[in-house]
Amino acid sequence: MKIVCNKSDLLKGVSIVSKAVPSKTTMPILECILIDASMDIIKLTANDMELGIQTVIEGDIITNGMIAIDAKLFSDIVRKLPDNLITIESKENNQTTITCEKAKFDLSEKAADEFSFLPEIEKSNQFKISQFSLKELIRQTIFSIADNDSNKQMTGELFEIKEGLFRVVSLDGHRISIRKIELGEETEDTKLIVPGKTLQEISKILSGELESMVTISYTNNHIVFEFDQTMVVSRLIEGDYFKIDQMLSKDYETKIKVNKRELLSAIDRATLFVKEGDKKPIIIDIKDESMELQIKSQIGSMDESIEIHKDGKDLMIGFNPRFLIDALRVIDDEEVTLYLMNAKAPCFIKDEDENYIYLVLPVNFSSIA
Amino acid sequence: MKIVCNKSDLLKGVSIVSKAVPSKTTMPILECILIDASMDIIKLTANDMELGIQTVIEGDIITNGMIAIDAKLFSDIVRKLPDNLITIESKENNQTTITCEKAKFDLSEKAADEFSFLPEIEKSNQFKISQFSLKELIRQTIFSIADNDSNKQMTGELFEIKEGLFRVVSLDGHRISIRKIELGEETEDTKLIVPGKTLQEISKILSGELESMVTISYTNNHIVFEFDQTMVVSRLIEGDYFKIDQMLSKDYETKIKVNKRELLSAIDRATLFVKEGDKKPIIIDIKDESMELQIKSQIGSMDESIEIHKDGKDLMIGFNPRFLIDALRVIDDEEVTLYLMNAKAPCFIKDEDENYIYLVLPVNFSSIA
């Protein structure tokens, strides 16, 4: 194999597929990027068996062929080369030579046939969404997946399509995040559980452009995202997702409107008194025109009042400040509305059309207050 | 005590003195900042017993007094407050209240009289240098101090004044870095060993302005830096510094001029093949018009040639690439000159006036080449 490409094209491709290179593995071949120039295009691929990414880069193929090469070393080399043409040539004895201007690198390649190629996915079921929307939906929900494996479903997000509405859901036992958008076309109903890691990596690759579309196809076991010159293939998480609709009550006794930035800053300040791992709640005392935020710990205490518009009853309720912060941070609205029932029922932060719904469970504070 | 100051003034002062707050200590009072408003100015002080920093901030004193307060918590609170007036008030029961707009924090203070105040230093011996020069001198030498304590002198830098010339020297057993400038006035000859940590922290505080001066005073045991509204007091390292002049030979057999950026990039690329802790040398083969850089390791090999202007003999010599990189990175010249004797003698990188001299010992490569 011998190919020539621009540093910038190569670097972009390598950093895209590197997202699927596992940081730890017992199989050295998984640490490799496959450079496939066996046909008339140059494809880079990495695959950690759960998540695989393939991208096509610009370049000239002088001799067809295919090599597997250590991803970390290869990407470091490309990054440090001058901004010029790079030649990659496979030599005898499994040696690859990389040259750029007067610099020449020799390193050993792995046998390309040991590489685990991406599975062939039948693309019968599919829908389209803009890069912008997909990136936003992920950003606005990904924080509330559970990061441990004790419940596999919680480590993923629900992708649900129902009557043309696309709903993305994540939950971790203390809170639920839901984002919804309309799909432009009539799409078949489905429910998929996509691994959180897949979504985190995809969201780093997505350009986030409004005009550029992502085609999402799926089978029972796999989901495929195609955009720009890139294809991301991921396993799905098996099993049924949680029945969330029965947790979403529309009743409330107290409804407040508040400036988002003010509320977020105040809660953020309160966290100064909560040490890592400590479970001090922030206590919110809702009155007619204002609410008072209070936190107390061994370190000290904070007290701050914020102006609000309130409908309904007064209420005193406690929360894990972290959970409120996570939700408020991803909401783009200037003003947010909170719906509350009583001190033991969940708080809902949602907009009128329920394009976003953040449910946060309260914390018992009776022993503290 | 009750004072009122701007968030930005307070934050700036707190982050300056925080440089002298130890990250680990068994004495809780050392983790504090002293706020001293007992006279007609507001002084902030921190002191880890080796290094002490004091700075004066703008603000109004409502009631005189003095408190000690946890540095980390205090600086986090100030950072997260709105950009407005902050009131700090000492209450009964060793409680301090910090208020800003509608936010109110209560935290416990430490007894100010437990605080270890800065030592009074007699300022009879002193000289002046611009903030810019001091910051540059530190940046261009600090990288070659030794970071372990096996030899105390190596963890500091020599400040030497001789016949109006100010010379800053650091060395670690493999290399020596020397920077020299003329002082504007007739100054008394002296030799001081300043702790590397002191210089690292000072260089973060120095604005680096050409017009603003630093006054440096010293006794047998202490050095004091005064600039802007800030005073930094540090212990000196005891003992005699190494006799470096006898290591600085002016003889050479090979002299080469080379573009600094090209040389630096090539050596930087070569380090890709050297894993952390590995001691692979880079081998430099100096010929008439070019030199060839080579590195070989288990991972792979690199080979690159660079154009040079050479006087004298051909030479093949090996170096720890890290040491060459460290020196080249801090040199601002576009072209650098290297002076070499043979494969076992040190390489000198220096300018004609010897404003900077970097000595790097070679590495034996006979077994490798």
Side-chain angles (χ1 to χ4, degrees), chain B residues 228-289:
Chain B
D228 302 331
Q229 295 295 311
T230 301
M231 177 172 79
V232 178
V233 182
S234 168
R235 279 186 199 272
L236 290 169
I237 294 174
E238 289 175 24
D240 289 324
Y241 201 69
F242 309 90
K243 294 191 168 49
I244 54 155
D245 286 312
Q246 59 203 47
M247 308 180 207
L248 305 178
S249 149
K250 282 197 193 290
D251 288 347
Y252 64 90
E253 294 281 347
T254 309
K255 174 182 171 185
I256 58 173
K257 289 190 181 184
V258 57
N259 178 290
K260 192 207 86 165
R261 205 181 48 76
E262 271 185 40
L263 179 60
L264 179 55
S265 307
I267 302 174
D268 190 34
R269 286 192 275 273
T271 58
L272 290 173
F273 291 99
V274 189
K275 283 198 182 148
E276 200 85 26
D278 196 355
K279 286 195 176 159
K280 288 287 168 218
I282 184 165
I283 296 161
I284 303 183
D285 190 5
I286 302 166
K287 297 263 169 60
D288 263 348
E289 310 256 284

Side-chain angles (χ1 to χ4, degrees), chain A residues 194-209:
Chain A
V194 188
K197 181 168 184 304
T198 295
L199 297 173
Q200 271 153 348
E201 299 305 337
I202 277 201
S203 116
K204 291 178 199 159
I205 308 174
L206 287 168
S207 71
E209 274 173 50

